[in-house]
Structure formats: structure tokens, C-alpha cells
Amino acid sequence: MQLKKLLPLGVAAATLLPMVAFGQDEGPAAGTDASSDSIFIFNSLLFLIGGFLVMWMAAGFSMLEAGLVRSKNVTMQLTKNIALFSLAAIMYYLIGYNLMYPLGNWSIGTDETGGYLGAFGVAVLEAVGVGRDAADDYGYASTGSDFFFQLMFCATTASIVSGTLAERIKLWPFLIFTIILTGFIYPIQASWKWGGGFLDSQFGFLDFAGSTVVHSVGGWAALAGALILGPRLGKYVDGKVTAFPGSNLTLATLGTFILWLGWFGFNGGSQLAMGTVGDVADVSRIFSNTNTAAAGGAIAALILTQIVYKKVDLTMVLNGALAGLVSITAEPLTPSLGAATIIGAIGGVIVVFTVPLLDKLKIDDVVGAIPVHLFAGIWGTIAVIFTNSDATFGGQIISIIIVGIFAFVVSAIIWFVLKAIMGLRVSEEDEMMGLDKAELGMEAYPEFTS
């Protein structure tokens, strides 16, 4: 089974596979010589290395959230993160993979006219010890490496939602939402672009590694949940915003650096090919642009908070770096280092101005995930038009709108249903006590909180 993702144009990539902007059709007929083996091996290796780097981002999200919530809610955030990652792994196997990559077997639509709903069925790997003649796609990569790599993107989407809704949501409604998000919402909209669906065929939508497909979708789901769940007790009183400092900025900083590291797999692996000199050169270019965009976002937030607040705000700097990473994710290949730095820096600026904007609107986002992943994700998707001549303003904007409406509306419906059936929020007493004790009966720092 071959991944059908859209790749930005690259001369080397085009010589390897007839791809179109992060979306692959059937690869060329492969030979049976050692050079063809090398292409298969190195492509698979890229997916595996990229995949475990993206998997490590789960640790980054865990540490970031553990550091930015109050001490009485740390264990809950850690529990949610390991649970959501595990649920994503199972749901992507049972439903998500084939729903996202139907390989022409669309339930609604076709490759020619543009698919809307993919195929239903469990993921199936190649046989043990498979040879050249029996590999699912000998001209491309192993199915297992493809599945593993793509699963990590699905899990990342769910991680984005966790931090926004921290400190007041019940565990089990959140996990049920995670099942629906990773099994249906994420794969369906991702198929519209990376599975050869209608956003690709009809609008020429470009999103290299998922500023919209991954990050904005997680942001829209988080925004819907935050609106329906409401703010934490005491956050907004008499027109004033009460700051709830995080428990451990050391962990938050560690989490940011882990995410920064994992992003090299996120973006670099999305080249989807490492079988030629040009492919490897492009991967290295992606690494460099990804890194400098994060740096640009961090420095922009550092300088701007000094100007606006007269003191540097570390949490803003951390989120500025992450916003820079999200911003460059839609197109990390074609920009120059200078352009990538500017794209990332604008992401950092967006964070500094949109975090207080959400507070003015009384939308309580505990870790700043909506500014980082939704707002910077939208910016990054639009920014593609400045460095990739194949992108069109109309194609990018309409795709952002379509994905946004789908993700937000469906998420809102699910949150409303969960609220009606089992409730979303813990009681006021439990929220004051902290979710660690109230929901789990254990604390991350018992010596200090007892």
C-alpha cells in the first residue's frame, strides 16, 4: 500500500517518483536491481527515523503541558497524553489509515473528480520477510514504515487539544473525543489533501507537512472544546484576567526543545523520499529551514514581550518557537533561510498578540495551543504562496476555510453530545481540589501539594 501524499516540487524528488506537491500517484515501474533496493530501503529508513522523531514529540507535549499547568493537575495531563497517543495508535490501525489513504477505493468520490470519504478497513502490513516481488510498492517504501510515520501525525493532532482544555475537563469525555478525532475527523480531512482528495485535485491545495491538515485541525478542535467547556474557575472575574502560573517552567522548556527536535522528523520525513542525492539535499534543506523558523519565532517573541510588557515572558518565547515551527510546516522546502526565519518570526508575533486576545474574549487556553497551532497554522498555510509558485492564494484560502469549518463544526457537535450524555467538566469542588486527586487519586508532587 502506497502513501498518497502531496509533496512540493523538487527536481530530485520528481526524478524518483511522479509526485505532485506532497501527493503521490503510482510510482514508476521498479527494477529488481540493487539500486532499486536502495531506493526502497532509504525511503523506508527516512519514514522510520522521521516517525520515531515525531513520536518523541509526544514526550514534548507531555512535558510542556506538565510545566504549564498547576501542580494539582500535572498527573492528569501526563495521563491524558499517554492515553491519547495509545488510542490514536489503535484507531489509526482500525479505521484511520485506510480512511486517509484509500488508494483510489473511495467510498464517496474518485481520484479523477476528487475523493470525499476514503475506504473503511483495518491497516494490513506486508508479510514477514517479504521480497522484491511481493512488496506492496517496491518502487517506494515498506507499508510498515509508511503506516508508522503517518500514525505519528494523527497522534500529534490529538495532543494539541489536550493542553487547551486542561485543569477542568473530565478524563473519559476527553478520551472519547480523542477516539473520534483520531479515527474519523483527522483522517477524513487529511484524505482530502494527502490521500488524493478534492482539495488536492480541485483546488491545488499545498500543505507540505500539515500546518493546516495537522496543526490547524487540532487547533479548531481545541477551540470548539474551549468554547463549550468554558474557562477555569476564577480565570475571568470582574473584567480582569487572573494569571495561573505553571508549575514548572523547567519542564515546559524541556518540552519545547523536545518538540523542536521532533519537528525535524515531522518536516524532514515529509519529503517522502531519500533515494537520490537531490532527495537527501532537500531533506537537509528542510531541516535547516525548520530550525531557523523556530529560532525566528522565539527571538520575535522575546523582543516583542520586552517591548510590550517591559520584561521578557519565557512562556511566550517557548510558544513563539513552536509557532515558528508550525508556520514553516506548510512549506519548509522552498524558502531560503532568510525567508524561513521571517515566516517563523511572524508566527512568534502572532502568538504574542493572540494570547491576550483570547483572554479578552474569555476563551481559556491553558497552554496557548490555539495561538500556536491554529493561528500560526493558518498563517503558515497562507505563507506558502510567497515561496512556492505552484500555490495560489485562492486555493490556499478556500482549503483553510473548508478544513476549518469541517473540523470546528464536527468537533463542536461531538463536544455538545458528550456534554449532554456524560458531562464535560468536573465539579467546582473537584476543580478547586485539582484533577490529580479528584479524578485520579494520585499527585505528581505529593510532598509539596499535600
Side-chain angles (χ1 to χ4, degrees):
M1 300 174 65
Q2 177 191 357
L3 168 65
K4 300 184 70 177
K5 244 187 169 183
L6 287 174
L7 255 169
L9 295 177
V11 174
T15 62
L16 174 62
L17 294 173
M19 306 175 185
V20 185
F22 207 41
Q24 302 180 107
D25 297 316
E26 292 300 317
T32 56
D33 55 16
S35 63
S36 295
D37 281 357
S38 295
I39 291 173
F40 183 89
I41 291 167
F42 281 113
N43 287 356
S44 299
L45 184 62
L46 176 66
F47 289 152
L48 294 174
I49 294 174
F52 73 63
L53 281 171
V54 181
M55 186 274 170
W56 188 230
M57 292 173 70
F61 279 112
S62 297
M63 294 302 96
L64 179 66
E65 293 174 23
L68 293 181
V69 300
R70 289 170 288 181
S71 299
K72 61 185 179 180
N73 296 304
V74 171
T75 303
M76 173 60 84
Q77 289 310 109
L78 299 176
T79 301
K80 284 162 60 180
N81 272 275
I82 194 166
L84 70 85
F85 183 86
S86 302
L87 287 171
I90 294 171
M91 292 306 298
Y92 201 65
Y93 151 63
L94 292 176
I95 300 173
Y97 187 56
N98 283 307
L99 198 58
M100 184 168 165
Y101 298 113
L103 298 177
N105 299 315
W106 294 93
S107 297
I108 301 176
T110 65
D111 280 343
E112 290 73 23
T113 60
Y116 297 90
L117 183 64
F120 290 88
V122 300
V124 179
L125 305 181
E126 287 154 321
V128 175
V130 66
R132 296 168 177 164
D133 57 342
D136 287 338
D137 194 340
Y138 176 59
Y140 181 50
S142 67
T143 300
S145 66
D146 179 23
F147 170 82
F148 179 74
F149 181 66
Q150 296 307 322
L151 160 63
M152 300 308 155
F153 285 66
C154 180
T156 297
T157 306
S159 296
I160 294 167
V161 184
S162 173
T164 293
L165 308 181
E167 301 199 325
R168 74 270 200 204
I169 192 170
K170 295 178 181 178
L171 176 62
W172 288 103
F174 172 78
L175 296 183
I176 291 172
F177 179 82
T178 297
I179 289 172
I180 298 170
L181 176 66
T182 57
F184 297 95
I185 298 174
Y186 170 78
I188 287 173
Q189 61 82 33
S191 74
W192 298 342
K193 166 56 189 169
W194 293 341
F198 76 98
L199 292 184
D200 175 36
S201 60
Q202 296 182 25
F203 300 107
F205 179 42
L206 298 185
D207 191 1
F208 192 95
S211 287
T212 286
V213 173
V214 177
H215 295 281
S216 286
V217 167
W220 286 117
L223 177 60
L227 290 171
I228 295 168
L229 190 63
R232 288 168 290 176
L233 294 175
K235 180 65 177 177
Y236 308 113
V237 180
D238 297 329
K240 297 181 179 180
V241 179
T242 303
F244 292 151
S247 62
N248 194 325
L249 292 184
T250 303
L251 282 184
T253 303
L254 173 63
T256 300
F257 274 116
I258 291 173
L259 289 167
W260 193 326
L261 172 65
W263 231 286
F264 297 125
F266 202 96
N267 287 356
S270 295
Q271 171 70 9
L272 302 183
M274 199 171 70
T276 70
V277 170
D279 290 325
V280 175
D282 283 352
V283 170
S284 64
R285 182 183 176 96
I286 290 167
F287 272 46
S288 298
N289 281 339
T290 298
N291 188 69
T292 198
I299 295 302
L302 184 147
I303 294 172
L304 194 55
T305 53
Q306 177 67 60
I307 294 172
V308 174
Y309 303 116
K310 308 307 178 185
K311 292 182 180 179
V312 172
D313 185 330
L314 174 61
T315 61
M316 288 287 196
V317 176
L318 299 179
N319 275 333
L322 297 176
L325 290 163
V326 171
S327 299
I328 201 64
T329 293
E331 182 50 273
L333 176 60
T334 57
S336 65
L337 282 171
T341 305
I342 293 171
I343 290 170
I346 293 175
V349 172
I350 287 171
V351 163
V352 173
F353 286 116
T354 55
V355 166
L357 173 63
L358 289 181
D359 281 333
K360 289 181 180 179
L361 298 173
K362 296 184 178 181
I363 300 173
D364 189 8
D365 180 355
V366 177
V367 302
I370 294 171
V372 169
H373 298 279
L374 175 54
F375 297 152
I378 291 172
W379 152 243
T381 307
I382 295 172
V384 178
I385 64 175
F386 300 120
T387 65
N388 191 326
S389 60
D390 291 327
T392 64
F393 181 77
Q396 298 300 98
I397 290 296
I398 195 169
S399 297
I400 290 170
I401 293 171
I402 290 172
V403 170
I405 291 174
F406 172 77
F408 181 81
V409 171
V410 176
S411 295
I413 291 172
I414 301 304
W415 288 126
F416 271 123
V417 171
L418 289 172
K419 182 178 181 179
I421 293 176
M422 58 195 309
L424 293 179
R425 286 191 74 127
V426 299
S427 66
E428 290 189 8
E429 180 182 358
D430 286 350
E431 186 174 339
M432 295 300 294
M433 179 192 303
L435 275 59
D436 289 1
K437 278 188 176 181
E439 288 266 289
L440 302 176
M442 61 176 63
E443 299 174 273
Y445 309 111
E447 296 89 348
F448 301 102
T449 54
S450 298

